[in-house]
Amino acid sequence: MELNEQNWSWIWPDVGAGPISQDNNSEMFDRNDYPYTDTFVREAIQNSLDARLDTNKPVIMNFNFHEDILDARKCFINDLILFRKKAGLTIPEKWDNGIFNWLVVEDFNTSGLLGDLQDRGSDFWNYWLNFGLSNKDGSGRGGRGIGRVTFLIASSIQSVIGFTRRYTDQKKVVCGMSVLKAGQYKNEFKNTHAYLVKEIDKNIFELHNSSKFFKQVEKEFGFTGFDNDHLSGFGLAILYPFKELTPEGILASTIEHFAPAIINKDLVVSVDYIELNDLTIREIAHDVKDKFKNNSIKYDVSRYLDFLVSASSPSSQIQISLKNSGRDALEDYWRSNSIKIEKIKDQILQQKKVSMRIKFPLTKRSGNEIVFLNAVIRSTPDGSYPIDQFFREGMSLPDVKSKSPGNLDLVMLVPEGELATYLNFCEGKAHLDLLENKEITLKLRDKGYIGVTDVKRLIKSFPTKLRNLVTPETKTPDSTTFRDFFPMNNKSHNGGQSGPNTDPRGKPWSPIPGKNGEGGGRPISPRKPTKFIISEFEDGAKIHAKPEFDEWPEEVNISFSYADGTRNPTWSPYDFKLADLKVVSKNCSILINNNILTVKNSGQDTEITVTGFDTNRELDIQLNQLD
């Protein structure tokens, strides 16, 4: 048989007596606030940096898009297409037209995909078979064993082919994976995944391992560098990728989320043979500026990169040593070092960058370890968006930021070390934020950390607290300044009687405008007694009916916002959206609109629980019973 007539087999195994789960965790990568390209790039580069071999050399990554006639490549996908038809799944129109397109992602100066090929629990088979399991020790950026789902989602037919050369034994190994649809097909109950393999071998597979197979895979899919240029690495061919993935988008996402790694020469990325490195990053950033999601980059690329360079290699740093990692540790330091703090404020007023190294104890059962992070802060130029970025080991955690950055740029960087390891345990599945839940708490305790979430809370508060503490104080305004503008504060308006909230007849006065917008206010009607109780807890609250009332139903609007020191705090969609939080209701019907929850058909047994708010911010909840 000629080489290009070979049909390399895929196997779609039976389930047997084991359970299945069709869910592939895709919802955690399907977010409106982070385009899919961002998630794809973050997972790809994170995995590669974690597998870095020689720390004196950068990780090399290639993202290359291809399109060609099917030709000999068809022999690698024939079985897969038949399986998809059997499962009732869609087939790309390009396949029917004899066209094939794919995206190859490769990394070098990495270990390759290691592990005993005969051991189901090895790194190799964990990657291909054991979702949710990982042999990572937590010292890197990943560790939950689910990031690989990102690459399957990137394919319109949820299929990839992986090629690796391992540094331990120099072996080349190839496997492919496709998500299908579990179910009964005639006399067989099929699994959720099919694999590009030779045959089933007990609880693993026997892989295709002929020299012809390896040679054809490299040739037909464009895997490069696995023979002479590099001794080890890992590559994935993503079959029929979604059109949302573009070279420009990948370059922009790489700069937005990994710029410090590029600037520090830890990472070099090539996209369709355009090389992104520490020398080309500025030019490429300008070329793809319209693809940035972050406005502080999009509208001022040079300023952003200049600031990151300063943050990555500060010429001098102010040393700030906190006595503990408690909630008020930063404020305590500020109070006892007033001269140093005033100097920082003066530098910021003079539009100077201020570099700080903030040290604090991280407590483990084995003893305290002093850890640190670097921070650079300065005034935001007039008319610019403030920079507000947090990086761990060169990778951004974009949700670790201030809710109100004001007019101060701030970048924080956590280098490789014990603090980075700790933070990895606190990060969510998509590595966007620092979280606090029972799973994370138990994991931290298991790893020997004491006062497990103190450091997480301290760091999560830094973007806001640092800004607040270095902002020069403002004088308290004269209480009479706006008297002429607000007649309710004018004694002549209320008949000479003292007190700002009465009308000329001595009745309570409200600043609420009239129905048509005219008029300065109207008398306040006596408030109806509330029929609900609010019970707050760490990340949310429960609103439940008072049992003593017997006239139901009641309709009520419940507004949620973060406290800002005012009587009626403002809400922003950047704070939270109720629809994204966990809302559980009992014995009522609810409607959600932004930060407002409307409760209808309530009764004596009504309960509404809302959780998932930021534990570092005080929650403000207001009830408005409707007439």
Side-chain angles (χ1 to χ4, degrees):
M1 180 179 293
E2 293 295 328
L3 184 64
N4 61 3
E5 295 177 358
Q6 172 75 51
N7 189 54
W8 301 107
S9 62
W10 285 71
I11 291 180
W12 189 8
D14 297 341
V15 170
I20 62 166
S21 175
Q22 189 70 50
D23 180 32
N24 60 9
N25 285 290
S26 61
E27 70 279 358
M28 73 180 183
F29 301 118
D30 184 20
R31 296 176 49 141
N32 292 328
D33 48 352
Y34 291 101
Y36 179 73
T37 299
D38 284 1
T39 303
F40 174 78
V41 169
R42 285 171 58 82
E43 287 297 324
I45 296 180
Q46 168 199 293
N47 290 344
S48 299
L49 288 174
D50 280 348
R52 187 180 183 184
L53 278 180
D54 186 346
T55 56
N56 294 315
K57 297 178 181 179
V59 168
I60 307 293
M61 292 203 69
N62 298 329
F63 294 82
N64 292 323
F65 289 83
H66 302 269
E67 181 166 304
D68 203 348
I69 59 174
L70 272 169
D71 200 27
R73 300 177 190 91
K74 193 170 185 179
C75 69
F76 290 96
I77 317 172
N78 265 327
D79 284 358
L80 173 59
I81 296 297
L82 291 175
F83 291 158
R84 287 186 64 82
K85 290 179 178 179
K86 186 175 182 179
L89 300 173
T90 58
I91 307 301
E93 184 178 343
K94 286 185 177 182
W95 170 271
D96 294 329
N97 294 329
I99 300 297
F100 181 54
N101 68 298
W102 70 104
L103 166 62
V104 171
V105 183
E106 302 170 299
D107 61 41
F108 302 105
N109 188 26
T110 55
S111 60
L113 191 51
L114 304 178
D116 188 343
L117 300 180
Q118 304 304 314
D119 180 2
R120 172 66 188 249
S122 70
D123 285 347
F124 184 87
W125 289 117
N126 267 349
Y127 184 88
W128 294 109
L129 295 175
N130 303 330
F131 289 86
L133 295 180
S134 174
N135 289 328
K136 290 185 178 180
D137 62 4
S139 60
R141 300 162 189 80
R144 290 165 178 80
I146 50 182
R148 78 206 78 165
V149 172
T150 312
F151 308 114
L152 290 166
I153 300 171
S155 164
S156 64
I157 59 171
Q158 294 191 295
S159 305
V160 298
I161 294 175
F163 189 110
T164 186
R165 188 175 185 187
R166 298 128 60 89
Y167 91 97
T168 51
D169 54 19
Q170 294 299 293
K171 281 186 177 180
K172 293 181 178 179
V173 186
V174 173
C175 188
M177 175 167 54
S178 178
V179 181
L180 296 175
K181 188 176 181 181
Q184 190 78 39
Y185 299 95
K186 294 185 178 179
N187 297 325
E188 302 169 318
F189 197 98
K190 293 296 185 180
N191 212 318
T192 54
H193 292 68
Y195 293 88
L196 175 61
V197 290
K198 190 174 182 180
E199 59 186 11
I200 295 174
D201 183 9
K202 297 180 180 177
N203 60 358
I204 55 174
F205 297 102
E206 181 181 339
L207 301 166
H208 294 293
N209 57 9
S210 70
S211 59
K212 288 183 177 181
F213 178 72
F214 295 132
K215 181 179 179 181
Q216 195 176 5
V217 169
E218 288 183 271
K219 175 186 174 184
E220 301 299 344
F221 291 96
F223 290 111
T224 60
F226 289 95
D227 287 316
N228 300 318
D229 297 339
H230 304 281
L231 295 178
S232 60
F234 181 59
L236 280 175
I238 298 170
L239 313 185
Y240 291 107
F242 281 107
K243 62 181 180 180
E244 287 81 2
L245 292 174
T246 64
E248 296 79 11
I250 290 173
L251 287 166
S253 292
T254 302
I255 295 170
E256 184 161 344
H257 295 282
F258 293 94
I262 298 169
I263 291 169
N264 291 331
K265 302 181 181 181
D266 295 325
L267 175 67
V268 173
V269 174
S270 175
V271 183
D272 274 1
Y273 307 101
I274 296 174
E275 186 172 299
L276 173 62
N277 57 40
D278 62 307
L279 300 178
T280 62
I281 187 171
R282 291 178 182 276
E283 180 181 355
I284 292 174
H286 279 92
D287 290 342
V288 300
K289 62 183 181 180
D290 291 339
K291 297 294 183 179
F292 290 121
K293 182 177 71 70
N294 188 317
N295 286 330
S296 65
I297 309 175
K298 178 182 291 187
Y299 297 114
D300 202 344
V301 171
S302 295
R303 169 176 148 264
Y304 177 77
L305 293 176
D306 286 343
F307 197 52
L308 279 186
V309 169
S310 298
S312 299
S313 54
S315 56
S316 62
Q317 290 180 313
I318 296 173
Q319 302 294 315
I320 295 176
S321 297
L322 309 183
K323 293 182 179 179
N324 56 63
S325 56
R327 176 176 295 181
D328 298 325
L330 195 59
E331 291 89 340
D332 292 343
Y333 178 88
W334 245 241
R335 282 190 289 268
S336 58
N337 293 270
S338 57
I339 296 177
K340 182 183 288 189
I341 304 314
E342 289 306 316
K343 181 180 178 181
I344 293 174
K345 292 180 179 179
D346 288 343
Q347 289 178 309
I348 290 174
L349 284 172
Q350 296 171 35
Q351 308 295 316
K352 294 180 180 179
K353 299 187 187 80
V354 179
S355 298
M356 294 174 273
R357 172 163 289 194
I358 305 174
K359 301 179 180 179
F360 46 89
L362 180 63
T363 305
K364 300 185 71 174
R365 284 194 289 268
S366 57
N368 279 3
E369 181 167 345
I370 302 301
V371 297
F372 71 92
L373 56 79
N374 296 323
V376 180
I377 193 167
R378 71 173 177 193
S379 293
T380 303
D382 290 342
S384 298
Y385 287 94
I387 297 169
D388 194 10
Q389 294 280 92
F390 184 96
F391 293 90
R392 182 177 74 86
E393 294 184 309
M395 175 182 176
S396 73
L397 274 64
D399 284 348
V400 181
K401 60 185 177 181
S402 174
K403 302 298 182 183
S404 302
N407 294 314
L408 289 172
D409 294 341
L410 176 63
V411 168
M412 309 189 77
L413 301 102
V414 177
E416 189 174 324
E418 186 65 42
L419 180 57
T421 300
Y422 168 89
L423 293 179
N424 181 56
F425 293 123
C426 299
E427 293 167 22
K429 292 179 179 180
H431 300 277
L432 299 169
D433 201 356
L434 299 175
L435 307 180
E436 184 176 332
N437 55 41
K438 185 175 292 184
E439 177 190 356
I440 288 171
T441 300
L442 291 174
K443 188 178 293 185
L444 289 169
R445 286 176 180 162
D446 182 60
K447 296 297 180 179
Y449 294 101
I450 297 174
V452 289
T453 56
D454 288 353
V455 170
K456 172 261 169 186
R457 294 179 183 179
L458 179 68
I459 290 177
K460 191 72 183 291
S461 71
F462 275 163
T464 297
K465 286 187 174 182
L466 271 176
R467 284 183 167 91
N468 290 341
L469 292 170
V470 302
T471 300
E473 293 84 355
T474 56
K475 293 181 179 180
T476 303
D478 184 346
S479 60
T480 64
T481 300
F482 298 105
R483 177 176 293 172
D484 294 336
F485 295 91
F486 300 100
M488 60 183 163
N489 287 327
N490 194 326
K491 288 186 179 182
S492 64
H493 180 79
N494 58 32
Q497 301 299 315
S498 63
N501 296 320
T502 56
D503 71 1
R505 296 165 294 176
K507 293 186 178 181
W509 187 267
S510 168
I512 301 173
K515 289 184 179 181
N516 297 319
E518 70 276 3
R522 64 172 183 265
I524 299 175
S525 301
R527 294 188 63 182
K528 297 170 63 177
T530 180
K531 296 183 179 182
F532 294 90
I533 301 171
I534 301 174
S535 302
E536 295 192 38
F537 34 88
E538 189 173 35
D539 69 336
K542 179 170 72 173
I543 300 95
H544 51 102
K546 288 182 178 179
E548 59 264 31
F549 289 99
D550 53 13
E551 293 184 11
W552 299 94
E554 188 76 27
E555 185 173 346
V556 62
N557 278 345
I558 308 172
S559 67
F560 298 82
S561 55
Y562 289 129
D564 59 10
T566 65
R567 180 174 296 180
N568 295 298
T570 57
W571 169 83
S572 165
Y574 296 105
D575 291 339
F576 61 84
K577 294 179 182 177
L578 281 180
D580 296 335
L581 305 181
K582 184 176 181 180
V583 181
V584 179
S585 60
K586 175 183 174 184
N587 293 320
C588 63
S589 58
I590 60 172
L591 297 173
I592 294 175
N593 182 26
N594 293 327
N595 68 321
I596 306 293
L597 191 153
T598 301
V599 181
K600 297 184 177 182
N601 303 318
S602 60
Q604 287 178 320
D605 297 322
T606 292
E607 285 185 5
I608 306 101
T609 304
V610 186
T611 54
F613 292 99
D614 187 345
T615 57
N616 288 310
R617 304 190 68 184
E618 182 181 352
L619 190 61
D620 183 279
I621 305 174
Q622 299 189 19
L623 300 179
N624 179 25
Q625 293 179 196
L626 306 176
D627 294 333

